[in-house]
């Protein structure tokens, strides 16, 4: 059924064909980078464990050092798992006609591959949770080398700095056994909330077109392609997913900045240079980021970090870790900007 909606093989081929090339490294240099990234990930794991007080449960899923094509292939498997049931839901389980099968699947395959080609040249690392349990840590070696060279950063320091962030994500999912199932459940709830009424679909498309135009016109707009597929029920689920992702990203940023000064001598220089590079994107790059929702992700780093910092500053790390107790103790979207509301609801109300 999935082949009828998206030509996943074409998506993979498109991502490979359109993906960025470089940087230039010799075979020996590539081998050294892979070995060093594995070592930095192991080093980061020790620091993250000590700082967060989170203890992984079960076997260590390890780290997979990949190139851009491997990263795209891993994410295509994740997309396949999410998009296929959504497409089937939207069509009521009815397969498209022969023309839609022949053309539609290829068009969406090219679209998916093009997006992943863009992202594959920019992502430094990722904890990918769709393809396996409890997930897999991916470090994109070419991108890490490319950025460290452009920043003029010390390779050892930059690689460890990146690993601190990505290993924190691995720790979140391996130390909180219910987290992956909860996340996948929310994604499924998003799919289940899809509606196939024609008028509602047209209304969402009209709203999506307006949102995309607004994203181009207004630099402060938070619109993205996600606006194309949201029913009211989906928006409620997306609010919960946004709150969860903001927590996860903010926690990783907080850990990175908390551990960094102790173990990464040039962390201040790296952070300043990295932020300048992030802000210096050309206008087309900024529009693409906005349409793909990447700008929202960048804001999640800042908003989530501020929430985690505020709670830890008030109650300490051990009490903050009550956030991982159950889905009910996760922050609500409104609480991310009002950490005292989360403290009162989760810590003080339960203690009373």
């Amino acid at each position: 059924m999935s082949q009828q909606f998206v030509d996943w093989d074409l998506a993979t081929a498109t991502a490979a064909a359109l993906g960025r090339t470089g940087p230039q490294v010799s075979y020996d240099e590539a081998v050294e980078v892979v070995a060093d990234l594995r070592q930095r990930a192991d080093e980061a794991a020790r620091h993250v464990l000590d700082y967060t007080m989170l203890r992984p449960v079960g076997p260590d899923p390890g780290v997979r050092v990949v190139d851009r094509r491997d990263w795209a292939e891993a994410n295509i498997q994740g997309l396949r798992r999410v998009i296929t049931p959504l497409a089937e839901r939207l069509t009521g389980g009815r397969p498209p006609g022969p023309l839609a099968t022949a053309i539609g699947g290829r068009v969406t395959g090219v679209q998916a591959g093009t997006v992943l080609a863009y992202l594959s040249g920019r992502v430094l690392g990722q904890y990918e949770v769709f393809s396996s349990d409890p997930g897999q840590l991916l470090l994109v070696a070419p991108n890490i080398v490319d950025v460290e060279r452009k920043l003029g950063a010390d390779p050892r320091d930059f690689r460890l700095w990146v690993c601190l962030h990505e290993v924190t994500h691995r720790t979140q999912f391996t130390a909180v056994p219910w987290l992956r199932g909860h996340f996948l459940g929310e994604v499924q709830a998003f799919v289940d909330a899809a509606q196939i009424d024609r008028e509602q679909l047209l209304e969402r498309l009209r709203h999506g077109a307006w949102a995309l135009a607004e994203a181009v016109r207004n630099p402060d707009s938070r619109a993205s392609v996600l606006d194309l597929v949201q029913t009211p029920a989906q928006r409620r689920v997306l609010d919960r997913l946004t709150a969860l992702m903001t927590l996860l990203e903010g926690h990783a940023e907080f850990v990175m900045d908390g551990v960094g000064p102790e173990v990464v001598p040039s962390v201040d220089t790296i952070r300043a240079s990295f932020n300048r590079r992030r802000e210096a994107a050309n206008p087309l790059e900024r529009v693409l980021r906005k349409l793909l929702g990447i700008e929202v992700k960048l804001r999640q780093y800042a908003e989530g970090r501020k929430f985690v910092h505020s709670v830890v500053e008030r109650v300490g790390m051990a009490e903050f870790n009550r956030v991982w107790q159950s889905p009910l103790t996760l922050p609500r979207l409104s609480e991310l900007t009002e950490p005292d509301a989360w403290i009162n609801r989760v810590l003080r109300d339960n203690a009373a």
Side-chain angles (χ1 to χ4, degrees), residues 192-234:
D192 290 342
Q195 298 171 351
I196 59 175
D197 181 86
R198 182 174 179 274
E199 290 303 315
Q200 290 172 325
L201 180 59
L202 289 174
E203 178 59 32
R204 293 206 304 277
L205 290 173
R206 282 193 291 270
H207 174 73
W210 172 86
L212 295 182
E214 179 66 12
V216 176
R217 287 195 303 267
N218 180 7
D220 297 322
S221 170
R222 296 198 173 201
S224 77
V225 292
L226 289 174
D227 292 296
L228 287 169
V229 294
Q230 289 183 49
T231 65
Q234 283 178 310

Side-chain angles (χ1 to χ4, degrees), residues 72-257:
E73 288 181 353
N75 279 271
I76 282 171
Q77 294 304 312
L79 276 175
R80 189 172 191 163
R81 178 168 182 170
V82 175
I83 288 177
T84 297
L86 177 58
E88 292 176 354
R89 177 87 176 183
L90 289 172
T91 61
R94 296 184 300 273
L99 183 61
T101 299
I103 298 176
R106 293 184 65 81
V107 169
T108 51
V110 170
Q111 290 172 335
T114 301
V115 169
L116 286 167
Y118 172 82
L119 296 175
S120 70
R122 287 153 181 82
V123 172
L124 301 181
Q126 174 193 12
Y127 190 70
E128 202 283 312
V129 299
F130 290 108
S131 301
S132 62
D133 186 6
Q136 58 179 341
L137 175 59
L138 306 175
L139 296 175
V140 190
N143 295 343
I144 293 173
V145 172
D146 191 36
V147 173
E148 72 188 24
R149 287 180 177 179
K150 288 178 178 176
L151 297 182
D154 176 82
R156 179 264 175 197
D157 284 6
F158 184 74
R159 294 168 193 177
L160 179 56
W161 187 70
V162 170
C163 286
L164 287 170
H165 185 279
E166 303 307 333
V167 168
T168 299
H169 284 317
R170 182 178 68 183
T171 301
Q172 292 161 349
F173 282 91
T174 56
V176 185
W178 56 264
L179 185 58
R180 179 177 181 270
H182 173 70
F183 174 70
L184 295 179
E186 291 287 53
V187 172
Q188 184 62 50
F190 183 84
V191 172
D192 290 342
Q195 298 171 351
I196 59 175
D197 181 86
R198 182 174 179 274
E199 290 303 315
Q200 290 172 325
L201 180 59
L202 289 174
E203 178 59 32
R204 293 206 304 277
L205 290 173
R206 282 193 291 270
H207 174 73
W210 172 86
L212 295 182
E214 179 66 12
V216 176
R217 287 195 303 267
N218 180 7
D220 297 322
S221 170
R222 296 198 173 201
S224 77
V225 292
L226 289 174
D227 292 296
L228 287 169
V229 294
Q230 289 183 49
T231 65
Q234 283 178 310
R235 279 195 290 273
R236 290 191 290 273
V237 178
L238 195 61
D239 281 349
R240 298 197 299 268
L241 276 169
T242 299
L244 174 59
M245 297 306 296
T246 301
L247 170 68
L248 298 180
E249 295 294 355
H251 182 241
E253 288 283 292
F254 178 76
V255 173
M256 172 195 275
D257 287 344

